[in-house]
Amino acid sequence: MLAASEIRCESLALTFPDGFQAVENVNLRIPAGQITSLIGPSGCGKTSLLRLLAGLQLPTSGTVSLQPAVSASSGNISFVFQRPALLPWRTTIENVLLPLELVGGRPKSERQQIARQLLDDVGLSDALSKRPDELSGGMQMRVSIARALSTSPNVLLLDEPFAALDDMLRGQLGELLIQLWRKRRFTAVIVTHNVAEAILLSDEIVIMRRGRVATPIVNPLAQPRDGSIRRTAEFGEFYGVISDSLRADS
C-alpha cells in the first residue's frame, strides 16, 4: 500500500457547455491521511468538485494535483457513489474482486484473500455468495465500500454514500467508515448534506456555496468519535458553528 496522498486544487474551475459555472476558482489543500467533508446546499458544486478530484471530469481551468502522484487507472483513487451500483450478476465477493481484476498484477489467490478480508472487515463474511438483490440497502453499501478499498487506494472519494439510509444505519456505516480509515489511513473526501455526519466523520469541514469553497473549518472534537458524542456540549457548540456558517453563506 502506498502512502495516503495530499490533494491540492489551484484556481480550479469547471464551466459546463450551457455556461453554468459549477466550480469557480477553488484553491484547497487536503492533507494526506485526513477526512474532509464538503457540505453545502444542493447545486453548490460539491459533487462536481468531487468528480474533478477523481479525474472523472476535466476542469475548464486550474489544476488538481496529488502527492504522492497517483491515478484512478492504477486503483489508487476510489469513488463511492450515492447508490452502490453493484453488478447484479456477480456475487458479493465477485463485486469486491472486480477492481482487483481490472487493475491486475496480483495472483488470484491474493485477490481472493484481500476480498475476503475486506468483507470480514465490513461484517459480510457470511454473504460472500449472495447477489445484490439478496442484500439489504445497507449491506449493498458495505459491499460498495469494500469494493472501493480493495485496491488499497491512497484517496477515497464518497458522494453522499449514506443519503438513502435511515438515521440508525447511516450512523452505523459512518462508524464503520471511521474504523476502516483508522486501519488503512487513506485520504478521504466526503460529500454530505448532513451537518452531524460531517462532524462525526471529518477532521475538517469545507463549506461550498455557488461553486466556491470557504476556508476549511478544523473539527475541534478529538478522535475517536462515535454516536455518543452527539450528547456532549462540545458537539452542540460545534454544530452551531457549522450551521451558522452555512446560514451566513446563504
Side-chain angles (χ1 to χ4, degrees), residues 80-200:
V80 177
F81 296 90
Q82 291 184 32
R83 298 187 181 278
L86 304 177
L87 298 180
W89 60 88
R90 293 182 72 118
T91 64
T92 294
I93 193 167
E94 288 170 347
N95 268 288
V96 176
L97 283 166
L98 182 60
L100 291 166
E101 294 168 359
L102 294 174
V103 171
R106 299 176 188 266
K108 182 177 180 179
S109 59
E110 185 179 350
R111 297 197 303 266
Q112 287 278 340
Q113 182 181 1
I114 291 169
R116 287 177 181 274
Q117 180 60 60
L118 275 165
L119 287 167
D120 185 58
D121 288 345
V122 300
L124 289 176
S125 57
D126 59 349
L128 303 185
S129 61
K130 293 184 182 294
R131 286 187 165 77
D133 62 0
E134 300 176 275
L135 304 175
S136 68
M139 294 170 76
Q140 289 184 32
M141 186 51 70
R142 280 189 274 165
V143 177
S144 181
I145 292 170
R147 179 179 60 185
L149 293 176
S150 64
T151 55
S152 297
N154 294 46
V155 175
L156 181 66
L157 307 171
L158 305 100
D159 187 10
E160 297 193 71
F162 313 133
L165 306 176
D166 62 59
D167 284 346
M168 181 176 293
L169 189 54
R170 186 174 192 146
Q172 291 172 353
L173 289 188
E175 290 183 18
L176 171 63
L177 179 63
I178 289 292
Q179 291 169 13
L180 294 169
W181 170 77
R182 284 190 203 124
K183 184 175 182 179
R184 296 168 180 270
R185 291 295 173 172
F186 43 80
T187 304
V189 184
I190 304 170
V191 165
T192 181
H193 282 94
N194 190 296
V195 174
E197 183 171 84
I199 293 171
L200 287 168

Side-chain angles (χ1 to χ4, degrees), residues 47-67:
T47 294
S48 293
L49 178 55
L50 201 70
R51 290 176 64 84
L52 288 167
L53 300 184
L56 298 174
Q57 184 83 48
L58 294 177
T60 306
S61 60
T63 60
V64 176
S65 59
L66 285 80
Q67 184 61 41

